[in-house]
Amino acid sequence: HPIWLVQKWIDELGWETAKALCESNNAAPPTAIRTNTMRISPTDLAQQLENDGVQVGTSLWAWEGLRIGEYGSIGAMPAFQAGLFQVQDESSMLVGHLLNPQPGETVMDMCSAPGGKATHAATLMEDRGTVLAVDLHQHKLELLAKSAQRLGLKSITTLQGDARDLSHEYDGRCDAVLLDAPCSGLGVLRRKPDLRWRKEIADIKELRDLQRTLLTSAATLVKPGGRVVYSTCTVSMEENQENVQWFLQRYPNFRIDTPSESRVLSSVAADAGWIQLFPHVHGTDGFFMVRLRKIK
């Protein structure tokens, strides 16, 4: 790890936590998949994968998740081709459960590609309602649409555009907004080992400004009484907790909505209501998430 990053984590997390986090980043990550519960149960999917010679274990955090061991090409698996699962880390699955989309709702995924969270939202909604999947790049949206087709989901509408400029057309129309923001990616260094050498402290400050602009947009998109879930795949106070504090000071009509409806989410939530997952503690990617409720 670069010295600036180690020092940052020591300052924010303490020596022992920083050391354990760095060690976990140098280990191979597990592969997790999310069952397409519109077509099959996790138990039946596990059985089918085992019949195909794949090692399967249960998820630690998501009821529809499985961990798989040695495998060849995921794309060549019959279960994948049949749309029975999507590759997705357990931390990312928890974001969907924190969003808690309901049948009939309008949900916007502001930075949607590659689409794991959008397809999860559609599945949790039983494919009833509307998921607006937004991304800057059309070719990424085309890949997302192919995933939705493979999974048999019809409630997803792709929308090419800049998530910073959506408020005029969609102002106050959404029951739930997911902002899985562009971030430094310091929580996924196990999966992208070289990323640590391509980041600098200045990048974090630049990303923080973008994240705050996107949060401002998210605040206008959601209905009164609706919710915004802000998430990142990083371990960085500036991009996570400090952004939440900034947002709540700027928008007093929002409050942190502690996830009391889920035993799993409650078990990992901090006293303040936000969730920070660590590879060395939870066995997942390093992920931050918080649910912000717009007061009626």
Side-chain angles (χ1 to χ4, degrees):
H1 293 71
I3 293 297
W4 72 264
L5 179 55
V6 175
Q7 189 62 59
K8 173 181 173 58
W9 281 341
I10 291 173
D11 293 342
E12 294 181 1
L13 304 171
W15 169 262
E16 291 298 331
T17 298
K19 179 175 180 288
L21 179 55
C22 288
E23 288 174 343
S24 70
N25 287 338
N26 292 334
T31 298
I33 61 174
R34 172 175 52 80
T35 307
N36 181 5
T37 53
M38 298 292 294
R39 290 184 170 174
I40 195 171
S41 71
T43 301
D44 289 343
L45 175 60
Q47 185 63 60
Q48 180 168 334
L49 290 172
E50 288 175 348
N51 291 342
D52 291 338
V54 180
Q55 298 175 350
V56 182
T58 57
S59 167
L60 299 175
W61 304 106
W63 66 268
E64 70 270 68
L66 298 171
R67 289 190 174 195
I68 60 174
E70 296 181 4
Y71 57 87
S73 167
I74 283 183
M77 290 183 182
F80 180 84
Q81 295 175 350
L84 302 185
F85 71 86
Q86 177 79 14
V87 178
Q88 188 174 16
D89 190 69
E90 294 159 275
S91 58
S92 180
M93 295 182 218
L94 286 186
V95 173
H97 288 292
L98 185 62
L99 186 67
N100 195 24
Q102 299 298 309
E105 287 190 328
T106 297
V107 176
M108 178 171 286
D109 185 355
M110 294 177 67
C111 304
S112 191
K117 296 179 184 67
T119 56
H120 192 198
T123 303
L124 291 171
M125 295 165 62
E126 300 173 1
D127 209 25
R128 293 188 284 131
T130 301
V131 177
L132 297 168
V134 182
D135 198 84
L136 270 173
H137 306 289
Q138 182 60 35
H139 71 278
K140 292 184 178 180
L141 291 174
E142 290 171 0
L143 293 174
L144 190 158
K146 288 181 179 178
S147 291
Q149 183 178 24
R150 179 179 59 83
L151 297 166
L153 299 170
K154 303 183 184 303
S155 59
I156 298 175
T157 298
T158 58
L159 179 64
Q160 183 181 9
D162 191 328
R164 294 169 291 187
D165 301 320
L166 295 170
S167 57
H168 299 298
E169 185 174 357
Y170 296 97
D171 188 15
R173 285 183 51 188
C174 301
D175 298 285
V177 174
L178 172 59
L179 172 53
D180 187 47
C183 70
S184 58
L186 301 179
V188 293
L189 297 184
R190 297 187 301 175
R191 302 187 188 280
K192 302 177 181 179
D194 63 322
L195 183 64
R196 69 194 78 184
W197 305 111
R198 293 188 279 110
K199 293 293 180 181
E200 299 178 359
I201 192 68
D203 297 330
I204 292 178
K205 296 177 180 179
E206 183 176 343
L207 285 163
R208 179 199 62 190
D209 294 340
L210 172 60
Q211 291 153 0
R212 292 182 177 184
T213 300
L214 290 167
L215 275 166
T216 298
S217 180
T220 65
L221 296 168
V222 69
K223 298 176 181 178
R227 64 245 184 239
V228 173
V229 167
Y230 174 71
S231 66
T232 70
C233 59
T234 195
V235 181
S236 166
M237 294 282 288
E238 297 99 320
E239 299 175 80
N240 296 337
Q241 293 90 339
E242 290 180 14
N243 270 347
V244 175
Q245 293 169 354
W246 172 88
F247 179 81
L248 293 175
Q249 290 172 357
R250 186 179 179 90
Y251 294 94
N253 60 327
F254 280 82
R255 61 175 175 81
I256 293 179
D257 189 12
T258 304
S260 58
E261 78 282 0
S262 165
R263 180 185 58 81
V264 171
L265 289 171
S266 297
S267 72
V268 292
D271 291 341
W274 45 261
I275 294 169
Q276 176 72 71
L277 301 175
F278 294 98
H280 67 284
V281 176
H282 305 99
T284 67
D285 291 342
F287 238 88
F288 177 87
M289 61 194 82
V290 65
R291 188 168 63 200
L292 303 161
R293 180 77 63 174
K294 192 171 189 177
I295 301 169
K296 291 184 179 180

